[in-house]
Amino acid sequence: MRIGLLTEGGYPYVSGDARLWCDRLVRGLERHEFDVYALSRSEQQEDEGWVPLPPQVSRVRTAPLWTAEDDGVVHGRRARRRFAEAYGELASVICSAGTRGTREAFGRGEAVGTGEALETGEARESGPSLEADRFGSALYGLAELARDEGGLVGALRSEAAVHTLERACRAPGVLGAAREARVPDLLTVAAHLERALRPLSLDWYEDDGLGSVDLCHATAGGSAALPGLLAAHFHEVPLLVTEYGVPLRAHYLGASGDAPVRALLAAFHRQVTAEVYRRASCLTPGNTHARRWQERCGADRARIRTVYPGMEAARFAEVGEAPESADPHTLVWVGRVEPAKDLISLLHAFAEIRRAEPKARLRIVGVAAGDEGAAYLGHCRALAAQLFPDEADRVHAVGDHPVSFEEVGDPAVPGLAEAYASGAVVVLSSVVEGFPISLVEAMFCGRPTVSTDAGAVVEVIGGTGLVVPPRNPRALAEACVALLRAPERRARLGAAARARALELFTVEQNVAAFRGIYLEVVSHAPVRKVVLDETGAPLPFGAPAEAPVPGRRPEPRLGTGGLGVAGVAGVAGVAGGVGLGGAVSGRPRWAVDTPLRATGTPPAATGEPVPAGEGAR
């Protein structure tokens, strides 16, 4: 079948989110054809190029979210009236109060409070409602206007959009924070909405674009899923959404600015998320933690399938299968250095560990994440120097610090496997965590773990490690000391951890899960149109949905008679899976369409995928 893979800030670019997972998925499903529709986040990401693409990728179309030229579209009176009605309805829904938890949180100007309420279950979103219907109607009204007129970039940037947003904020029954919005706040919100709604102006929704695929697979929610929503609206293409992290939760936690801006943007993202969950044929969260968020935001439980991320176990096989040879007194922390990882608590816990086990050592292996991460790393180094003075035998000698800060690639740590192999226990100290990739890597290496109860940690490790409350250095220290003093227990937990990781978190199980989900979703999709071959005869399907059996494969039959059960399934599920099409005419100047079948080779990439990273740690 033909899959439209929708990405944002990731595949096929060399850098970005979920690029390795997407690459493994595409390569693992070699019998399907993939059209990649990618939204980029920065000019640097585009300049770095693409990863080498497998032959099953037929086309790549890209568009930037970080910039957009004015489309030059001049709307007539009727089009301006349509825009005012649709945008006004969308702004009205954004400004109106939603659930009780949202009203209370935003009435206090606490955008993050809603995220915390959802996390604890205090505010539970209801299913489809009048508010959701109004938002969806407004969103698709804007999309239809963009398709009819050739774009909405200029309209979304216009003064009319700001005035419409202002009228919505002044209407009765709106959020308290929305009523307090001033002109700078409205300009900020309008600019954000224009950026978030740029996918509506793309020319990806023709019959030879997303209208020709059998299934849209969005690799994230939010902006990445918007093209899938429009393909479902215009062409009834089924939509599959995979979320290994919940974009709505990330927005709540990262919200900044004044209270009106935070309130309005959070309400917008909540409505987009609810619409994606409502229209998606299937949702595949990466863990139960993400699944709970989806259910509380209105997703139908019957359409959710939990699929764990797939990781390459072979990279860690040598360490995992070899007898443990690490220093029995060494703790290892591996990850991306940032405040959410709470290395401060880890250092204070290690101070207590040293008092109980004077030979203990701590190796922190990681890279600072941006300017904030670099400043946090400097703070951690200063704290380590204060907590653990230089240990020298004599006054004029130089001693060793029990805490070391290293990076993968250093002579002592040439790779990730060597980093995990250097310690007897792997520690995770995060206060905020999605899917803990570093824990899975440690499990592949057969290492016991001590972790804080954040995100999907408990779900990942099962009973193969120790879990303590976050921000509790004493509990963290006691758990680490318990394992340092029990070598047999360490060996037993490490073996169990490796067995669990090999069962649940490999690339093979991930690819197999999506192979079945693709067939399940397409089998329930309606027949949208009849596809003809080069001679004009009806073509039952472009690529058989059934897995081929070993042996000689028969030539495809072009007739309609004698299809049988398999043929009927092919007609019903993958009728649109043929015809690659070429470059689409009339696209905006800021969109790129790259058909790969014409040349047979992908665009040159500036570098190979970096094997050391599995995405955000």
Side-chain angles (χ1 to χ4, degrees):
M1 66 184 72
R2 191 176 184 186
I3 309 299
L5 192 66
L6 312 176
T7 69
E8 178 193 355
Y11 192 76
Y13 296 105
V14 170
S15 62
D17 300 337
R19 56 187 174 79
L20 290 179
W21 168 73
C22 290
D23 188 62
R24 292 166 184 163
L25 177 70
V26 172
R27 292 181 185 276
L29 298 174
E30 70 280 355
R31 298 196 179 278
H32 296 310
E33 293 182 356
F34 286 85
D35 290 352
V36 179
Y37 294 80
L39 299 169
S40 65
R41 290 180 180 170
S42 67
E43 185 176 9
Q44 178 183 356
Q45 186 179 50
E46 294 192 351
D47 292 341
E48 290 175 348
W50 300 351
V51 299
L53 299 176
Q56 56 263 37
V57 176
S58 304
R59 172 194 286 179
V60 175
R61 303 187 69 175
T62 65
L65 281 181
W66 49 275
T67 184
E69 297 180 6
D70 195 334
D71 48 25
V73 175
V74 179
H75 291 166
R77 181 181 301 175
R78 185 173 182 179
R80 291 197 302 270
R81 184 166 61 251
R82 288 176 61 189
F83 175 79
E85 293 175 355
Y87 193 80
E89 183 74 355
L90 184 137
S92 176
V93 175
I94 293 173
C95 295
S96 63
T99 63
R100 181 177 57 86
T102 304
R103 181 188 295 272
E104 293 174 355
F106 290 134
R108 298 190 303 267
E110 299 171 0
V112 179
T114 304
E116 295 171 348
L118 281 170
E119 187 115 32
T120 58
E122 294 176 2
R124 182 178 298 270
E125 298 285 354
S126 61
S129 62
L130 177 61
E131 189 176 90
D133 291 337
R134 291 175 57 202
F135 182 85
S137 176
L139 182 68
Y140 301 127
L142 290 174
E144 292 168 358
L145 178 61
R147 184 182 61 173
D148 295 342
E149 299 295 329
L152 284 180
V153 175
L156 291 171
R157 291 178 173 178
S158 65
E159 291 185 11
V162 180
H163 290 317
T164 300
L165 187 61
E166 182 180 21
R167 286 194 296 271
C169 290
R170 305 294 181 257
V174 300
L175 296 169
R179 287 196 299 270
E180 299 173 0
R182 298 295 179 260
V183 172
D185 301 325
L186 297 173
L187 292 174
T188 300
V189 173
H192 183 94
L193 294 181
E194 183 272 323
R195 180 183 183 277
L197 296 176
R198 282 175 191 172
L200 274 60
S201 298
L202 297 176
D203 61 343
W204 290 357
Y205 314 109
E206 300 88 352
D207 289 340
D208 60 346
L210 286 175
S212 66
V213 303
D214 301 303
L215 169 69
C216 282
H217 185 177
T219 60
S223 297
L226 277 180
L229 283 180
L230 300 191
H233 176 72
F234 290 133
H235 303 285
E236 297 184 347
V237 178
L239 173 62
L240 167 66
V241 179
T242 297
E243 288 186 329
Y244 287 123
V246 182
L248 180 63
R249 177 176 180 268
H251 176 80
Y252 284 146
L253 295 174
S256 60
D258 296 333
V261 174
R262 299 201 310 272
L264 293 174
L265 295 186
F268 169 75
H269 285 286
R270 190 183 75 252
Q271 292 295 338
V272 170
T273 299
E275 183 64 19
V276 169
Y277 291 170
R278 183 171 71 147
R279 294 295 299 269
S281 300
C282 184
L283 298 167
T284 55
N287 51 74
T288 303
H289 181 254
R291 179 177 183 137
R292 287 198 301 267
W293 268 79
Q294 291 177 343
E295 290 179 0
R296 289 166 182 166
C297 290
D300 183 2
R301 182 175 298 181
R303 292 184 284 113
I304 300 178
R305 307 284 187 274
T306 301
V307 180
Y308 295 119
M311 300 172 59
E312 291 183 355
R315 298 168 53 195
F316 309 99
E318 184 176 355
V319 174
E321 296 174 0
E324 183 179 345
S325 58
D327 181 358
H329 306 289
T330 299
L331 304 171
V332 176
W333 180 95
V334 180
R336 187 172 60 179
V337 179
E338 57 186 357
K341 303 303 182 182
D342 198 16
L343 292 178
I344 300 300
S345 291
L346 176 59
L347 290 172
H348 284 290
F350 187 65
E352 297 190 24
I353 295 172
R354 287 278 291 179
R355 284 192 285 269
E357 292 290 327
K359 294 183 179 180
R361 306 187 66 82
L362 173 63
R363 301 183 69 173
I364 296 177
V365 182
V367 179
D371 295 338
E372 184 182 22
Y376 186 71
L377 177 59
H379 182 55
C380 292
R381 288 180 180 272
L383 178 61
Q386 179 183 355
L387 292 174
F388 311 102
D390 191 9
E391 297 180 341
D393 296 334
R394 300 181 304 275
V395 175
H396 299 290
V398 177
D400 294 330
H401 273 287
V403 178
S404 62
F405 292 86
E406 305 165 78
E407 295 184 12
V408 173
D410 291 346
V413 191
L416 274 175
E418 289 77 11
Y420 293 110
S422 65
V425 178
V426 175
V427 186
L428 182 141
S429 55
S430 302
V431 294
V432 176
E433 192 70 56
F435 186 87
I437 290 176
S438 62
L439 283 187
V440 177
E441 292 171 341
M443 293 166 69
F444 279 132
C445 293
R447 291 300 185 265
T449 58
V450 175
S451 315
T452 51
D453 186 3
V457 165
V458 173
E459 180 183 0
V460 166
I461 67 171
T464 67
L466 305 184
V467 180
V468 300
R471 291 196 178 99
N472 192 329
R474 177 172 296 180
L476 189 62
E478 291 176 353
C480 291
V481 170
L483 287 186
L484 290 176
R485 291 176 175 176
E488 293 183 358
R489 187 183 184 190
R490 292 201 307 269
R492 185 168 61 252
L493 289 176
R498 177 167 169 76
R500 178 177 175 82
L502 291 174
E503 180 183 359
L504 297 178
F505 307 123
T506 61
V507 174
E508 291 76 14
Q509 67 84 21
N510 183 270
V511 171
F514 279 108
R515 182 181 290 113
I517 290 173
Y518 282 2
L519 293 175
E520 178 187 354
V521 172
V522 172
S523 68
H524 292 87
V527 177
R528 302 193 307 275
K529 55 189 174 183
V530 177
V531 180
L532 306 179
D533 66 1
E534 297 177 353
T535 64
L539 189 64
F541 41 73
E546 300 79 9
V549 297
R552 186 175 180 180
R553 299 179 61 187
E555 295 295 329
R557 299 176 58 187
L558 302 182
T560 58
L563 289 176
V565 176
V568 173
V571 173
V574 287
V578 294
L580 296 176
V584 180
S585 61
R587 63 181 181 274
R589 288 173 291 173
W590 49 283
V592 179
D593 178 12
T594 308
L596 301 181
R597 185 59 61 86
T599 62
T601 56
T606 59
E608 295 290 335
V610 181
E614 296 285 346
R617 296 185 182 280

